[in-house]
Amino acid sequence: MRLQNFWISVLNLLGLSAAAPTPPKCTRSWSNWISKSRGCENMKEIVSEKYLERTLSEKLNKCGYAWSIKLLSTFVRGLPDRLILCKGGYVCFAEIKTTGKKPTAIQKFIHERLNKLGFTVFIVDTKESMNEVLEHVKNKSL
């Protein structure tokens, strides 16, 4: 009970308790309760870079018409995370980010350079953007 009172006083200091009811006892969803009390029900689900990269790579490699290769370079900074080779000779790149994160300045520079050479660079930071890449690759491979 003392811990709950502590968090209630913290929320009072943040100005979040006036419009919101007291949270239920012993929950792990304080961040959810805070976002709801602020009126942020439409927030995007935060998806980790690791999950997005693993899922995208597995789906592309299993589909049979594309191959996803992790790009690792000690000489060129800012390369996209994945090189995607498609049936029929189409090549594109994917930069994977945790939801809400943006590419760094060097990554943006490299992406622009690749775009000028005619390559497509996708920024994947949500499940929806991952599905868009999968759909794009499928259409280009057929």
Side-chain angles (χ1 to χ4, degrees):
M1 190 65 181
R2 286 183 185 176
L3 185 61
Q4 185 177 8
N5 290 337
F6 168 76
W7 286 110
I8 290 171
S9 48
V10 167
L11 294 171
N12 286 334
L13 288 173
L14 295 173
L16 298 174
S17 63
T22 307
K25 264 187 177 179
C26 235
T27 67
R28 291 184 179 189
S29 59
W30 280 95
S31 60
N32 291 340
W33 183 77
I34 290 170
S35 66
K36 285 179 184 174
S37 67
R38 288 183 183 164
C40 301
E41 291 86 8
N42 296 329
M43 288 180 60
K44 286 183 184 177
E45 175 189 3
I46 296 176
V47 185
S48 73
E49 180 175 344
K50 183 178 181 178
Y51 171 81
L52 288 169
E53 188 167 3
R54 187 180 330 125
T55 307
L56 178 66
S57 183
E58 285 175 359
K59 288 184 178 186
L60 285 170
N61 291 335
K62 285 182 182 176
C63 70
Y65 49 79
W67 184 22
S68 173
I69 301 169
K70 184 159 184 73
L71 292 178
L72 301 170
S73 175
T74 55
F75 303 109
V76 180
R77 291 183 53 199
L79 284 176
D81 296 314
R82 291 283 171 171
L83 167 67
I84 303 170
L85 304 172
C86 304
K87 201 177 209 177
Y90 180 73
V91 177
C92 61
F93 296 88
E95 180 67 51
I96 319 293
K97 293 285 180 191
T98 299
T99 303
K101 302 287 181 180
K102 302 289 182 205
T104 63
I106 188 71
Q107 287 173 326
K108 288 178 185 176
F109 173 76
I110 296 294
H111 295 175
E112 288 173 17
R113 200 163 173 191
L114 289 167
N115 286 331
K116 285 179 185 174
L117 291 171
F119 295 106
T120 305
V121 180
F122 294 98
I123 308 296
V124 179
D125 66 343
T126 61
K127 291 179 182 177
E128 292 79 21
S129 60
M130 179 181 64
N131 291 332
E132 288 173 17
V133 172
L134 293 168
E135 191 64 33
H136 179 81
V137 167
K138 182 180 179 180
N139 292 336
K140 289 291 185 175
S141 298
L142 300 178

